[in-house]
Amino acid sequence: MRDSEFEFIRGLVYEHSRINLGPDKRELVSTRLGKRLRATKSESLTAYCDLLKSPGADDELGNLIDVISTNHTFFFREQAHFDFLKETALPEMATRMQKERWPKLRVWSAASSSGEEAYSIAITLATNLPHTPWQIEGTDISHRILDKAKRAVYDADTVRNLPENLVRAHFQRGFGPQDGQIRVRQELRERVNFSHLNLLEGEPEFRDPFQIIFCRNVMIYFDRPTQEELVARLTRRLVPGGYLLVGHSESLTNIKHTLRSIRPATYQRPLAG
């Protein structure tokens, strides 16, 4: 990949997603672009860049953002956050829900990828708040990965480390042509809504605020001004006293924000804020 080609791709991705591709991401970009060269039958990276510059390239631009932004994920990734939900956040919010008469508990998986995070949250809510109304919103910038999240079909190996009673309660195992696959049960799927959203363009069309927001392993791709903008946007969507959970490889230490640090990768909007 020539320097000029990398800089062109880097600038285009930043302009449309605010993902900041530093020099250390050059190999990742080259690898992922190979998929798009094959899909578009471009003979070279130069030809692919020409395609992106051509009129009517919006669809391919979307495909480019898809392959660059898609992250590896799995069920109950960063288990400490789900322990925090079970032990602290959910009991606290269930009590407030009764006192403040919230119609339901609302959780946002802000970068939901292929859905494992959102469904892990759903399993935690269903297990620990069986009689409490709740709803999960999952959003992502990638249309392709959202389609997978909506289908909720995964390789059976992805749940091999989960307790068998949990798997039986919340997943259906495939058979025949679907052998080796599992699907999240309908009663969970219907309480998780997935929609396309660029977190940094406009405001999401959610009417009500959230008690808990997951936005994990996203900010590592953004520069500091973009991180500050994103955290401010997420904070506005939290109820006072609500929690923002970020990835354990991320920190808000060096950016401006109004949240209170509770524990590693866990922040709370002040009750008075």
Side-chain angles (χ1 to χ4, degrees), residues 111-179:
S112 57
S113 189
S114 47
E116 288 93 335
E117 177 180 89
Y119 291 125
S120 298
I121 298 168
I123 291 169
T124 305
L125 290 171
T127 303
N128 294 282
L129 297 177
H131 306 298
T132 299
W134 53 266
Q135 179 72 39
I136 297 171
E137 295 288 345
T139 61
D140 202 90
I141 195 172
S142 168
H143 288 283
R144 178 179 57 84
I145 211 69
L146 284 170
D147 288 340
K148 180 175 180 179
K150 292 173 184 177
R151 291 194 302 273
V153 176
Y154 304 94
D155 289 338
D157 283 349
T158 62
V159 297
R160 68 182 182 277
N161 293 325
L162 302 184
E164 182 58 30
N165 64 327
L166 184 148
V167 175
R168 287 198 305 268
H170 300 294
F171 297 88
Q172 297 169 300
R173 292 192 180 274
F175 58 91
Q178 285 78 41
D179 186 34

Side-chain angles (χ1 to χ4, degrees), residues 8 10 55 78 115 122 159 168 218 236:
F8 170 71
R10 181 174 181 268
E78 300 187 48
V159 297
R168 287 198 305 268
V218 175
R236 290 196 295 270

Side-chain angles (χ1 to χ4, degrees), residues 78-219:
E78 300 187 48
Q79 178 66 43
H81 278 148
F82 298 97
D83 293 339
F84 174 75
L85 282 189
K86 176 182 176 180
E87 298 164 5
T88 303
L90 296 186
E92 177 184 321
M93 292 304 167
T95 299
R96 287 188 61 189
M97 187 173 178
Q98 292 183 335
K99 290 182 178 179
E100 301 180 36
R101 302 195 177 192
W102 295 332
K104 63 178 64 174
L105 184 66
R106 289 170 47 78
V107 183
W108 182 11
S109 174
S112 57
S113 189
S114 47
E116 288 93 335
E117 177 180 89
Y119 291 125
S120 298
I121 298 168
I123 291 169
T124 305
L125 290 171
T127 303
N128 294 282
L129 297 177
H131 306 298
T132 299
W134 53 266
Q135 179 72 39
I136 297 171
E137 295 288 345
T139 61
D140 202 90
I141 195 172
S142 168
H143 288 283
R144 178 179 57 84
I145 211 69
L146 284 170
D147 288 340
K148 180 175 180 179
K150 292 173 184 177
R151 291 194 302 273
V153 176
Y154 304 94
D155 289 338
D157 283 349
T158 62
V159 297
R160 68 182 182 277
N161 293 325
L162 302 184
E164 182 58 30
N165 64 327
L166 184 148
V167 175
R168 287 198 305 268
H170 300 294
F171 297 88
Q172 297 169 300
R173 292 192 180 274
F175 58 91
Q178 285 78 41
D179 186 34
Q181 295 184 313
I182 51 104
R183 190 180 193 191
V184 178
R185 290 189 181 275
Q186 183 177 348
E187 54 266 32
L188 286 188
R189 298 199 311 271
E190 64 190 11
R191 299 177 76 175
V192 183
N193 179 58
F194 290 102
S195 58
H196 177 261
L197 179 68
N198 183 332
L199 292 171
L200 293 154
E201 284 188 2
E203 293 288 341
E205 297 181 358
F206 302 135
R207 291 194 318 172
D208 301 315
F210 296 90
Q211 285 74 35
I212 301 162
I213 297 176
F214 280 65
C215 189
R216 305 188 301 171
N217 306 302
V218 175
M219 287 188 292

